[in-house]
Amino acid sequence: MGWLERVAGLRQWTRSGTRAPHKPLLLLYALGRFQGDAEGGLRYSAVEEDLQRLLVEYGPPNRTTPAYPFHHLVSDGVWEVRTVSGPGSPGNGARELRETGATGRLAPDLRAALRREPQLLGNIARLLLDLHFPPSLHSELCEAVGLELEPAEPQQLSTARRQRDPRMRELVLTAYEYRCAFCGYDGRIGAVPVGLEAAHVRWWAFGGPDDIENGLCLCSLHHKLFDKGVLGVGDDQRILVSQRFVGHSPSAREQVIALAGRPLVGPQPGARSVAAAHRDWHAREVFHGAPRPATTT
């Protein structure tokens, strides 16, 4: 089994589309550190705060711990853990990992392969990003873990990928009449729309289909906030704004907080609105915390 196949097959707890990006985040973090220092190890007590921050920022809404992937990633053959007593993880408890000086690093065979094949690191990283996160988050996630990626080589990135439908963007933007479903933005240069994107409600990486019932036309800002769990869509097709979002500037109030409770802009008559199953997935797996009450004008 090649390294791309092995990474694509990371064992994760899954049920009904539940997100469990713990191992992918740890592996991305380890690849970023390897890129900067191929010989260095990751002592749990030194990287725990970084890993926890990644889980809060890019993990599921429920609280979780980086101790879980630090211990369990060993079973996938891409990671090793040693303590002051020798090889082997002491368990998946944070206290055990701290007290035993547990240190993790990429498995020896994987480190050797990364040295032999310089393009392998980027291919693994892009595969992890595509399988577990929406495209709107890829760039900032690479920055968060310290990864600098070269352009991809498409022929080496086919493992475990299904093909996207290139028609989705046009279908979704047409259904919403080229307006952001949250704020109504409809900017163009000539006849070409700018800053408008087709957002998946249920992420493509988690089985979300490329169709209108799983899409929203969103401006670039609101697409990013939607994928970060700041914004959502309620059962009544009204906009949800997370109580965890904080912003004091007029822009934050007008462009985010004031959206709470507003009806979506579109879709046009005859076009299908977002399916309940996809709304529910986003509310459960992406949206952070409870929604703010509707704003009054």
Side-chain angles (χ1 to χ4, degrees), residues 110-258:
L110 177 53
R111 298 200 306 271
L114 291 170
R115 294 188 183 96
R116 287 194 310 269
E117 308 170 46
Q119 78 281 4
L120 181 60
L121 186 147
N123 289 341
I124 290 175
R126 292 185 186 280
L127 182 62
L128 288 166
L129 291 168
D130 273 1
L131 289 176
H132 302 283
F133 304 96
S136 67
L137 301 184
H138 290 185
S139 178
E140 69 170 71
L141 187 45
C142 284
E143 185 175 345
V145 299
L147 271 171
E148 296 183 10
L149 300 183
E150 298 296 328
E153 297 183 22
Q155 70 273 17
Q156 298 189 25
L157 295 179
S158 60
T159 298
R161 290 192 176 190
R162 75 185 206 272
Q163 295 298 311
R164 295 177 183 266
D165 187 341
R167 299 171 300 172
M168 180 183 174
R169 180 178 185 275
E170 185 64 25
L171 290 171
V172 171
L173 267 60
T174 298
Y176 285 84
E177 301 180 288
Y178 293 85
R179 295 178 298 171
C180 174
F182 288 169
C183 69
Y185 168 83
D186 61 354
R188 296 171 179 262
I189 294 180
V192 180
V194 290
L196 286 172
E197 302 163 358
H200 284 76
V201 178
R202 182 185 181 118
W203 293 355
W204 185 87
F206 286 84
D210 289 328
D211 61 33
I212 292 173
E213 290 184 325
N214 188 42
L216 286 171
C217 176
L218 297 178
C219 67
S220 300
L221 171 65
H222 291 134
H223 189 178
K224 175 64 68 70
L225 295 178
F226 186 66
D227 284 345
K228 293 292 289 263
V230 172
L231 299 174
V233 179
D235 294 340
D236 54 358
Q237 300 292 328
R238 291 181 178 271
I239 302 167
L240 304 179
V241 179
S242 172
Q243 289 183 353
R244 297 182 185 176
F245 176 81
V246 177
H248 301 292
S249 68
S251 293
R253 290 196 299 270
E254 294 165 8
Q255 297 180 38
V256 184
I257 296 172

Side-chain angles (χ1 to χ4, degrees), residues 241 253 256-262 292-297:
V241 179
R253 290 196 299 270
V256 184
I257 296 172
L259 297 177
R262 287 187 187 175
R292 288 173 174 265
T295 57
T296 57
T297 57

